[in-house]
Amino acid sequence: MNKPKLWTKDFIIISLTNFFVHVVFYLLMATVAIYVMSEYQASSGMAGLTVGVYVISALVARVFAGKYLDQIGRKRALIGSFVIFTISMLLHFGANSLIVLFIIRFIQGAAHGFLTTAAGAVAADIIPNERRGEGTGYYATSMNLAMAIGPFLGIYLSGYADFQMIILVGSIIAIIGFVSALFLQVPKVEYSEEQVHKISGFNVRHYIELKAVPISMLLFLVTFAYSSLLAFLSLYAEDIQLVEVSSFFFIVYAASLIVSRPITGKWFDKYGENRVTYPLLVCMAIGLFLLSQAHNGFPFLLSAVFIGIGYGTVQSNFLAIAIKQSPPNRTALATSTFFIFLDLGSGLGPYLLGVVVGMMGFRHLYFTAAIWILACIGIYYFVHGKKAAAGRKEMVRHSA
């Protein structure tokens, strides 16, 4: 039997939409902090808050998007939020004060949260059930590529142009993404009156999958440490005079992740999550330690290899665990819960770590982050690892 086609026009468009939105997101994440500190003479804590408010507003929007998306209509929600996202990008040109920039980023963050949630729901509808894992993996790869290209563009442009040029490039990318989304055909989702009634009521379980919370909370802790890279890597590179080298950090990061993902994915299925997760967390800790000690380009970029393999793969592994721990009919909500905690870590991290870096400096920040990740290994054991080991022993015993 032939497999249903995956690479349809609509799948390509929704993957490109996801890519363009995240390129803009990471472009700004890598440059806003340094702009705020240089343009407004703001503290590192305030610069981190300007980065973090975007992610926090995206988180809030994501929580409500999951409930109201189908009531609005998926394509209508996608296009509407894309309009707001693009307009708010253009409004950056008129940001003549820190408070105005803060408000613009809050609005754009909310649009981003609703937009990416809608895009994920559309992708889930478009991907054939028989190719669900493969299609979801390719869709996620579009974000991984953006994770490399966005910061690369941001750090590169910040070395040769002003923030207005960065906004211009981001605006062009957003407009291209919006135009491509207009050609998207979205399958219509029909709900019975009973389902509509259930959706309209209030219940915490409409927003959160409780069984996915433990591993998602651990993701929050790991992402909290990782957010120091998104917010402060360009400032750190400037501090240690490695600005030109730093523009390649996320390219190396993404290349390492993409090359290693098929291997670690097979290990995950063959040996279980514990045999993969423990080494990956150690790998991330090594990368942060190398970054904290970097005095030239080699250890700086080598740290990107370890962090890319470590954090990039741990993130997808934790998502697989969150879905595995949840009932089959609530996998979509488990995924939403997972990304809520991911957003929370990405949003709170820049602000709180911005305060910390003002007291201890960048090198000590990344050294402390390495210790933090090692502590997460112990937390993982109690949150999931111990139970996973017992379950695997039981499975081996029954198969013997």
Side-chain angles (χ1 to χ4, degrees):
M1 184 184 293
N2 293 329
K3 289 183 178 180
K5 189 176 180 181
L6 174 62
W7 291 101
T8 62
K9 171 183 72 73
D10 293 321
F11 179 72
I12 293 170
I13 289 174
I14 198 63
S15 297
L16 286 173
T17 298
N18 192 47
F19 171 75
F20 288 130
V21 171
H22 281 95
V23 166
V24 175
F25 168 64
Y26 286 112
L27 172 75
L28 293 179
M29 280 287 281
T31 55
V32 162
I34 193 168
Y35 169 72
V36 167
M37 293 181 72
S38 62
E39 181 71 16
Y40 301 107
Q41 287 75 52
S43 66
S44 56
M46 182 56 68
L49 180 60
T50 310
V51 174
V53 68
Y54 183 107
V55 185
I56 294 299
S57 62
L59 181 153
V60 174
R62 194 189 293 277
V63 170
F64 289 99
K67 179 178 172 64
Y68 296 108
L69 189 62
D70 291 316
Q71 296 180 34
I72 298 170
R74 297 189 180 190
K75 183 170 182 179
R76 187 183 299 173
L78 180 74
I79 297 300
S81 54
F82 219 141
V83 168
I84 297 171
F85 180 83
T86 305
I87 290 173
S88 57
M89 190 68 205
L90 294 168
L91 286 175
H92 280 77
F93 285 115
N96 54 9
S97 70
L98 188 56
I99 188 66
V100 172
L101 179 63
F102 192 89
I103 292 169
I104 291 170
R105 286 188 57 73
F106 182 87
I107 294 169
Q108 189 177 33
H112 172 95
F114 217 100
L115 172 54
T116 51
T117 303
V122 170
D125 290 340
I126 291 171
I127 296 169
N129 286 330
E130 295 86 348
R131 305 185 70 174
R132 178 70 56 193
E134 182 185 3
T136 304
Y138 282 124
Y139 178 75
T141 300
S142 66
M143 186 176 72
N144 294 332
L145 291 173
M147 191 185 295
I149 294 172
F152 171 78
L153 273 177
I155 294 173
Y156 180 82
L157 289 171
S158 65
Y160 298 95
D162 60 12
F163 191 66
Q164 296 297 307
M165 178 57 70
I166 293 171
I167 295 303
L168 176 61
V169 171
S171 298
I172 292 170
I173 293 170
I175 291 169
I176 292 171
F178 170 70
V179 172
S180 66
L182 293 175
F183 295 94
L184 187 67
Q185 290 183 319
V186 179
K188 191 173 182 180
V189 180
E190 300 287 348
Y191 287 93
S192 66
E193 289 185 15
E194 183 181 355
Q195 287 174 320
V196 171
H197 177 72
K198 285 182 178 180
I199 292 173
S200 63
F202 176 80
N203 191 311
V204 173
R205 287 175 57 81
H206 292 167
Y207 302 90
I208 298 289
E209 171 49 51
L210 297 179
K211 290 186 178 179
V213 167
I215 197 67
S216 300
M217 288 181 68
L218 180 58
L219 174 77
F220 163 78
L221 295 176
V222 174
T223 302
F224 184 88
Y226 175 76
S227 70
S228 62
L229 295 176
L230 295 176
F232 302 117
L233 185 68
S234 57
L235 290 171
Y236 177 49
E238 188 177 88
D239 190 52
I240 60 176
Q241 300 179 346
L242 290 174
V243 173
E244 290 188 10
V245 173
S246 69
S247 63
F248 293 96
F249 183 93
F250 288 100
I251 296 293
V252 175
Y253 172 102
S256 304
L257 169 59
I258 291 168
V259 169
S260 64
R261 175 164 280 177
I263 301 169
T264 55
K266 289 178 181 177
W267 288 352
F268 184 95
D269 293 332
K270 186 175 182 179
Y271 301 113
E273 51 263 48
N274 287 355
R275 293 276 293 272
V276 181
T277 299
Y278 290 123
L280 288 174
L281 287 172
V282 171
C283 201
M284 183 178 176
I286 291 171
L288 288 166
F289 173 76
L290 286 172
L291 187 63
S292 73
Q293 304 301 309
H295 291 278
N296 58 63
F298 178 74
F300 191 90
L301 293 180
L302 184 61
S303 72
V305 174
F306 281 96
I307 296 171
I309 295 172
Y311 177 75
T313 312
V314 158
Q315 182 183 333
S316 59
N317 285 358
F318 281 7
L319 175 58
I321 292 169
I323 291 173
K324 191 165 86 170
Q325 293 296 296
S326 305
N329 64 327
R330 291 174 65 84
T331 55
L333 200 55
T335 304
S336 174
T337 302
F338 176 88
F339 281 107
I340 286 170
F341 281 89
L342 176 68
D343 287 347
L344 192 59
S346 299
L348 287 178
Y351 173 61
L352 296 178
L353 294 177
V355 175
V356 172
V357 78
M359 296 184 290
M360 65 168 55
F362 293 111
R363 289 196 185 278
H364 287 97
L365 172 69
Y366 290 121
F367 180 81
T368 304
I371 302 300
W372 177 281
I373 295 300
L374 290 177
C376 286
I377 295 174
I379 298 172
Y380 171 80
Y381 173 78
F382 289 106
V383 166
H384 181 76
K386 185 177 180 180
K387 182 170 66 174
R392 190 155 187 86
K393 284 181 181 177
E394 185 69 18
M395 184 177 69
V396 170
R397 188 174 65 83
H398 281 297
S399 61

